[in-house]
Amino acid sequence: MQVLNKQYTKESSLDSGYWRELGVKYDAIQELDSFLVHFRLKTILKQMKMPALDELRKLCRLEEYENEEKLRDALDSLEIENIKLLLKLHDFSNRKKKSVDKYYASLGLEDERYEKSTLAKLLHLFYLSPVHLIELFTWYLWDSRASGKLFVFDKESISHSEVKKIAQDTSFNNSLRDALYKASGSKNLYRVYSYSIISKKVLILVYRQISDAPRADFVSAPRNREVSPALFLIDSDKKTVEIKSLITEEGAIKDYIQSTLGSNLGEIQPEVFVNYKKEVFVDSILKGSSVTASGEPITNFMVYKIKFRGTPLKNSPQLTLELDSLDIWPSVEEAHANGMINIESIKDLESIQFKSPFGNRLIRSTILDNGNVIFSMDDSNLDVANKKLIEDKFLGKFGVPLYREISNELFDEGKADKVDYLMSVSKVERPSSFVNSILTQLKKQSIITERQNHYYYCPHCQIDHTFVKSEEVPMICSDCEGDKIKTRITNVMSVNMDAVYALIKQNCKEKQSDWNLVRENILKVGNIELKCLHLSHKEQERTLQIVITDKSLQKSALGQLNRLMKPTVLILIGQSEKLIEYSNYSCVEPINFGKIYIEGEHSFPVLLNEFANKLQTRTKTFLSAAANEAFNSITKVTAEDLKNKIYTDKYFEDDVFALLKDIFANAEKWGKELSGIEVPEGIFALAFKQDGKVRQRVFSYDCKLNTNGKGYDLNKSEQRKAIEYVNTLNSNDYIQSFSDKKQLSGHIFISNHFKSQNFKTMTAHFYEHLDESFDSKAIFLDVKILCYLHEKYSKNHHQITNNRDRFYRDLFEALMSGVVTIDLIDKVFRKTLDDDLAEYKTLPTNKVTRELQGKY
């Protein structure tokens, strides 16, 4: 029997079995009369408001409607099979809303998302691939069961590709099946039923057959082979395994995973360990030569290697100290005295390696989502007594245990992690006193709000419906006409982003800060809208952008932020430690909200300066990265992207500036900072030597994105604006002072598609209407040629550096031609790349190396 994921890979392979496997009442829905099909759909649609209905409309490819009733009628007019599909998906959604939301949010969907309706999410997933419903069903069963037993691998890294094989490879499936069969004493049959892979998490559902007998039925007595599920989740990132199954199955699954992945699994004790002293733990590391948690010397436990996740050094690099056969603690103490090491949190200690009579062993830490930490050890070939002996030595040395979740909330960083954790969950099970106090404080500040959700449902159908007023609860179920409708209430926590934004904004106004808050705006990145705060330094010409989000940003979104080329502090709300590392991207420096919240408003100015300085040191790196992103963005734009406004003029402006800024470092882009002032998109300047003199020239530019494929129309209005731009800038003191021509050399129109007849009309307009004392030219640059220029510039950057004056002199001449062509750009590079004309020569370092090696 195939795993469901492989059996139903395409919509064409779907049959009645697909829906039955998902627990959908397929036959009952298929056999409904047309009247009842429409009646049930109307009942479902009646519960939905316009935003949710509109999502269904888009997915069903219907035209827009101005009111709910007309839209409901249009949906009810779909073909009968499409309506039955909606009924099946609605039936599938039974009791699965949380699992649907969780699964849908976990997918890195780059295209349009649907957030207003569970039914729309399911329809979207079904259209993407029927396998999504199988994976979602697998997660639903996982979410429906109580927590299982948690284990941690002793290996330092687990191959995710090998983990995926356990789920995807038939031979691995069969090996697991046979191992479970053997562990049951050859009494029970097993099959790997389905799996789901999200990020580095692999979830596997195994069915155990527990009976094989006919079952009473209204029409006939079908054969029924009842099953019992066993599930296990392997997280190769956290190096943990959670198993939800019978004891006998648990042992077989554990043994199979250990033998398949070549790593032992140590059990994690469920109760969180809090009975340790922060100062003792810190001193046992920083003063390890003389301090132990137990107060007694720990023998036969010599630590010779230690690794720290972060240090007080610039950019907080990881640090490893190692000695071959000597105790490492004197080295750690000296490193601490020199400011190279400090312990701000338990998670700072990444791993230690020690020697003992039982051989060399590695102990490493794993950070959990809630900020707590687990220490685990490679205990292969250790008997129970020796393993217990090492556990006692570790506890005696550091005051914390192995294989047990350790609370990190005694440290400020741990407290910050707890704040982020609270802002990422809807409910907290068994909160500690600290968590309770933080939660109370967050609620008091309205940062976290708690609401009651009211549901009614039929015990037979078990489909949840939300209601606000009691009169909305029906007496009879609309699906099965049952009359035993029940209600329930759940309390759900959520983050009030407005309150979070207000707190950060208030921190930006701190009097001790070196920064002024100059403006606010909404930044659209893909389909996500982000709130932004823009700061300027009080004394220096520096700016900083603060972006606040509770969304997981994809690399494409981070790339778009990077193309803006603004030093950006990204404040992530309720995000994990891993996402903080993932979001550290070029001109984007991430920080979790918990750190800002715990450290308080007076530390915020220090954080701003620290991050601004970090970003300033990365300027050259993020300029090149932004230009590379821009090049890829522009060259991949299709006519469909332009027609559907997937690629907009805002993206075009950002991309063009990134390319220009990489070629001409002396460039400026004007946007909302000069809103209401008649200025072009931006300016750039270049300088070169000619005839022994330095020439300094300035160009302004404007971006003109054409979306209809007919060419951008530089009409009378565009001509008037261009003249106003040029006259304004030609009168600017700084431009007149810099340019040896005392004016702009030209105004460049950059477009993806020009109307060639505009070249003459715009040039003539400049000649006729430009102020008499100026002769700035109208210049036309197709963006494809700009990309061609940037590509050649990037590939030959080193040689251009050796012939910089010739490059910028010839490039200036190419721009001044009026209409820039590929031939003109090639001409620029022909001489620039000619080694015989180079102003500076290149040392053949490879030949130096070869001579030193005796190969010359």
Side-chain angles (χ1 to χ4, degrees):
M1 286 180 284
Q2 271 191 318
V3 178
L4 284 194
N5 303 60
K6 294 182 179 179
Q7 189 174 343
Y8 298 109
T9 54
K10 298 179 181 178
E11 197 170 338
S12 58
S13 66
L14 302 190
D15 54 20
S16 58
Y18 170 80
W19 295 105
R20 293 188 190 115
E21 298 281 17
L22 295 175
V24 173
K25 297 192 283 286
Y26 170 82
D27 301 282
I29 293 171
Q30 285 296 111
E31 293 168 8
L32 283 174
D33 291 336
S34 176
F35 169 77
L36 287 175
V37 169
H38 288 285
F39 174 76
R40 289 200 177 183
L41 180 65
K42 286 176 181 176
T43 305
I44 295 168
L45 298 178
K46 193 175 181 180
Q47 307 290 329
M48 300 171 71
K49 299 300 181 186
M50 191 63 183
L53 291 169
D54 197 52
E55 288 189 336
L56 284 181
R57 176 194 66 76
K58 290 178 184 177
L59 285 162
C60 295
R61 300 182 181 278
L62 297 174
E63 62 184 63
E64 293 188 28
Y65 292 87
E66 65 270 16
N67 61 55
E68 293 179 7
E69 286 309 311
K70 286 187 178 181
L71 182 46
R72 288 191 181 100
D73 290 341
L75 290 166
D76 190 42
S77 300
L78 292 169
E79 291 183 8
I80 196 74
E81 286 306 314
N82 289 333
I83 296 177
K84 285 182 178 180
L85 173 61
L86 293 175
L87 295 183
K88 290 169 200 169
L89 294 174
H90 185 259
D91 187 53
F92 175 74
S93 69
N94 173 17
R95 297 280 183 171
K96 298 183 182 71
K97 185 178 187 305
K98 281 188 178 179
S99 295
V100 172
D101 292 345
K102 183 176 169 184
Y103 178 80
Y104 192 80
S106 70
L107 298 178
L109 301 174
E110 294 289 350
D111 57 353
E112 188 167 9
R113 298 179 66 90
Y114 301 88
E115 304 289 356
K116 304 297 182 184
S117 158
T118 301
L119 186 56
K121 289 179 183 178
L122 289 174
L123 186 59
H124 186 205
L125 291 173
F126 181 79
Y127 282 156
L128 289 173
S129 170
V131 175
H132 277 304
L133 298 195
I134 295 169
E135 296 201 28
L136 202 161
F137 179 72
T138 309
W139 279 105
Y140 164 68
L141 290 181
W142 175 263
D143 293 337
S144 301
R145 305 195 72 177
S147 297
K149 194 165 285 187
L150 196 60
F151 301 89
V152 62
F153 287 106
D154 61 19
K155 278 179 70 174
E156 192 161 355
S157 63
I158 299 298
S159 169
H160 184 57
S161 60
E162 289 300 308
V163 173
K164 288 197 293 185
K165 285 181 183 177
I166 296 176
Q168 296 173 329
D169 193 292
T170 302
S171 61
F172 281 73
N173 294 166
N174 293 341
S175 298
L176 175 58
R177 175 199 66 192
D178 295 343
L180 286 164
Y181 175 72
K182 186 177 179 181
S184 72
S186 303
K187 293 179 181 178
N188 295 112
L189 298 174
Y190 290 87
R191 68 173 286 204
V192 176
Y193 185 74
S194 62
Y195 62 83
S196 182
I197 300 173
I198 297 177
S199 187
K200 294 296 183 71
K201 296 178 180 179
V202 177
L203 174 63
I204 298 173
L205 169 60
V206 179
Y207 271 170
R208 170 172 57 95
Q209 183 180 313
I210 58 176
S211 69
D212 186 356
R215 183 176 179 180
D217 184 77
F218 185 75
V219 177
S220 62
R223 178 183 181 181
N224 177 248
R225 284 174 281 189
E226 192 177 351
V227 295
S228 175
L231 299 109
F232 60 97
L233 176 64
I234 305 176
D235 190 329
S236 52
D237 206 359
K238 294 180 184 173
K239 306 171 195 69
T240 58
V241 176
E242 186 173 356
I243 304 174
K244 300 181 180 182
S245 70
L246 299 175
I247 296 295
T248 53
E249 293 168 348
E250 177 189 292
I253 292 169
K254 178 186 172 188
D255 291 342
Y256 173 77
I257 293 172
Q258 288 181 141
S259 62
T260 303
L261 299 179
S263 177
N264 288 333
L265 287 169
E267 185 179 346
I268 299 170
Q269 297 297 324
E271 187 178 348
V272 179
F273 184 79
V274 294
N275 190 25
Y276 71 96
K277 293 181 179 178
K278 168 186 167 183
E279 295 78 10
V280 171
F281 176 80
V282 172
D283 286 348
S284 69
I285 297 170
L286 301 183
K287 303 175 183 177
S289 295
S290 56
V291 175
T292 63
S294 65
E296 300 292 331
I298 304 298
T299 58
N300 295 325
F301 188 79
M302 187 191 78
V303 176
Y304 67 91
K305 183 178 180 180
I306 189 166
K307 186 174 182 180
F308 297 91
R309 279 197 172 86
T311 60
L313 301 175
K314 189 174 183 179
N315 295 328
S316 190
Q318 292 184 336
L319 184 67
T320 301
L321 300 177
E322 182 177 9
L323 291 168
D324 285 341
S325 302
L326 293 173
D327 197 314
I328 198 68
W329 299 121
S331 303
V332 174
E333 290 167 20
E334 185 173 355
H336 172 60
N338 291 329
M340 297 173 64
I341 291 172
N342 202 8
I343 300 295
E344 301 290 343
S345 163
I346 289 184
K347 66 186 181 185
D348 286 347
L349 179 58
E350 182 168 340
S351 65
I352 64 167
Q353 283 183 257
F354 65 92
K355 295 179 185 290
S356 74
F358 320 111
N360 300 354
R361 299 282 167 173
L362 169 72
I363 295 176
R364 58 177 180 74
S365 66
T366 300
I367 305 169
L368 303 180
D369 285 341
N370 60 8
N372 290 342
V373 174
I374 296 169
F375 288 99
S376 58
M377 175 182 65
D378 175 1
D379 58 4
S380 53
N381 302 320
L382 272 180
D383 59 37
V384 175
N386 289 336
K387 181 180 176 182
K388 178 68 168 63
L389 192 60
I390 290 176
E391 288 178 22
D392 290 343
K393 288 181 181 294
F394 184 81
L395 180 64
K397 173 63 181 172
F398 300 107
V400 293
L402 285 171
Y403 305 114
R404 189 163 171 187
E405 184 177 344
I406 303 165
S407 172
N408 198 20
E409 63 192 36
L410 299 184
F411 293 84
D412 283 347
E413 281 215 14
K415 292 174 183 176
D417 289 340
K418 280 291 187 290
V419 172
D420 291 307
Y421 172 68
L422 288 172
M423 297 179 77
S424 68
V425 297
S426 57
K427 192 175 182 180
V428 184
E429 301 288 348
R430 303 191 303 274
S432 66
S433 57
F434 170 75
V435 169
N436 256 333
S437 67
I438 286 290
L439 191 53
T440 301
Q441 188 175 327
L442 289 168
K443 287 179 180 179
K444 187 176 180 181
Q445 294 173 288
S446 298
I447 290 172
I448 285 183
T449 60
E450 195 167 33
R451 72 175 189 278
Q452 286 189 333
N453 284 346
H454 297 258
Y455 299 93
Y456 70 83
Y457 63 96
C458 168
H460 177 259
C461 296
Q462 296 187 331
I463 299 175
D464 286 336
H465 300 281
T466 60
F467 71 92
V468 178
K469 299 176 182 177
S470 57
E471 52 263 33
E472 296 176 28
V473 180
M475 301 296 291
I476 297 175
C477 176
S478 60
D479 287 307
C480 68
E481 298 185 358
D483 60 356
K484 295 182 179 179
I485 302 297
K486 295 189 176 183
T487 61
R488 63 186 178 86
I489 299 172
T490 59
N491 292 322
V492 179
M493 296 191 317
S494 60
V495 176
N496 180 358
M497 286 298 292
D498 289 337
V500 173
Y501 181 76
L503 180 67
I504 294 169
K505 181 179 174 181
Q506 186 59 43
N507 284 355
C508 289
K509 296 179 178 179
E510 167 63 36
K511 291 180 181 178
Q512 304 303 316
S513 176
D514 294 330
W515 302 83
N516 283 324
L517 176 61
V518 291
R519 68 183 181 92
E520 309 167 47
N521 74 311
I522 299 294
L523 176 65
K524 191 168 184 182
V525 178
N527 294 319
I528 300 173
E529 291 188 341
L530 306 173
K531 288 189 173 182
C532 290
L533 297 164
H534 298 266
L535 310 179
S536 66
H537 199 277
K538 291 177 179 177
E539 297 177 0
Q540 304 167 8
E541 288 290 327
R542 296 168 66 190
T543 61
L544 195 62
Q545 177 177 260
I546 296 178
V547 176
I548 304 159
T549 182
D550 60 346
K551 303 287 191 304
S552 301
L553 299 185
Q554 301 296 319
K555 275 293 183 190
S556 59
L558 291 169
Q560 190 177 330
L561 275 178
N562 189 47
R563 293 206 302 278
L564 297 177
M565 292 191 295
K566 294 181 179 178
T568 300
V569 177
L570 178 64
I571 300 178
L572 296 166
I573 313 299
Q575 305 288 358
S576 67
E577 184 78 17
K578 284 289 179 186
L579 200 62
I580 299 291
E581 297 171 13
Y582 168 85
S583 303
N584 194 334
Y585 188 78
S586 209
C587 69
V588 178
E589 183 71 27
I591 184 174
N592 52 356
F593 174 74
K595 184 176 179 67
I596 294 171
Y597 186 81
I598 290 296
E599 294 196 4
E601 63 182 279
H602 297 299
S603 296
F604 192 68
V606 178
L607 281 173
L608 287 182
N609 286 337
E610 178 187 325
F611 281 8
N613 291 335
K614 273 187 186 180
L615 291 166
Q616 191 173 22
T617 61
R618 301 209 297 253
T619 300
K620 182 65 181 84
T621 305
F622 73 65
L623 284 180
S624 298
N628 185 53
E629 294 271 3
F631 179 87
N632 291 331
S633 173
I634 288 178
T635 52
K636 290 178 182 176
V637 172
T638 64
E640 200 69 19
D641 292 336
L642 296 170
K643 180 182 176 182
N644 296 327
K645 297 184 179 179
I646 295 171
Y647 188 83
T648 65
D649 53 358
K650 183 69 175 70
Y651 295 158
F652 187 59
E653 291 162 8
D654 292 338
D655 289 343
V656 166
F657 180 64
L659 296 175
L660 291 174
K661 182 73 173 175
D662 198 33
I663 301 169
F664 308 101
N666 194 3
E668 182 82 358
K669 179 178 181 288
W670 292 315
K672 292 191 176 180
E673 289 85 353
L674 296 181
S675 179
I677 303 174
E678 289 287 340
V679 292
E681 196 63 46
I683 57 171
F684 65 87
L686 60 129
F688 53 87
K689 285 182 182 178
Q690 187 176 32
D691 301 329
K693 295 181 180 180
V694 175
R695 308 296 185 187
Q696 297 180 161
R697 305 296 161 85
V698 186
F699 292 90
S700 59
Y701 74 93
D702 250 338
C703 298
K704 306 296 181 185
L705 182 68
N706 176 247
T707 58
N708 61 16
K710 297 178 181 179
Y712 196 93
D713 186 13
L714 295 171
N715 54 32
K716 295 288 186 184
S717 173
E718 294 287 348
Q719 293 170 7
R720 178 190 55 77
K721 283 195 297 183
I723 290 296
E724 288 180 3
Y725 295 160
V726 174
N727 281 329
T728 299
L729 292 175
N730 279 346
S731 302
N732 184 278
D733 290 340
Y734 292 99
I735 289 175
Q736 288 190 355
S737 174
F738 176 86
S739 171
D740 56 288
K741 298 283 288 182
K742 306 299 181 185
Q743 62 172 320
L744 293 179
S745 292
H747 178 70
I748 306 174
F749 298 92
I750 302 174
S751 179
N752 59 319
H753 191 182
F754 284 110
K755 282 187 175 181
S756 57
Q757 62 266 34
N758 287 158
F759 296 166
K760 286 185 178 180
T761 55
M762 182 62 80
T763 301
H765 191 79
F766 263 59
Y767 182 77
E768 293 172 15
H769 296 280
L770 199 62
D771 191 297
E772 291 182 0
S773 58
F774 302 128
D775 61 358
S776 307
K777 294 188 68 171
I779 300 168
F780 306 91
L781 176 60
D782 190 296
V783 76
K784 295 185 187 70
I785 295 173
L786 175 60
C787 287
Y788 181 74
L789 167 63
H790 184 269
E791 185 176 26
K792 293 193 71 93
Y793 173 82
S794 300
K795 287 179 179 178
N796 301 288
H797 186 265
H798 179 70
Q799 286 172 277
I800 291 170
T801 303
N802 286 348
N803 209 353
R804 179 190 176 283
D805 284 329
R806 179 175 293 276
F807 171 71
Y808 283 110
R809 184 191 70 202
D810 290 354
L811 182 54
F812 170 77
E813 294 298 334
L815 293 174
M816 293 302 290
S817 67
V819 179
V820 186
T821 64
I822 293 288
D823 288 343
L824 288 169
I825 298 301
D826 284 339
K827 185 179 178 182
V828 171
F829 282 95
R830 248 193 317 272
K831 290 193 175 181
T832 298
L833 303 183
D834 190 330
D835 289 338
D836 292 333
L837 298 175
E839 297 156 13
Y840 301 96
K841 300 298 181 184
T842 298
L843 172 69
T845 52
N846 60 322
K847 293 181 181 179
V848 175
T849 303
R850 289 176 65 84
E851 178 152 334
L852 292 172
Q853 292 172 335
K855 295 181 180 179
Y856 267 114

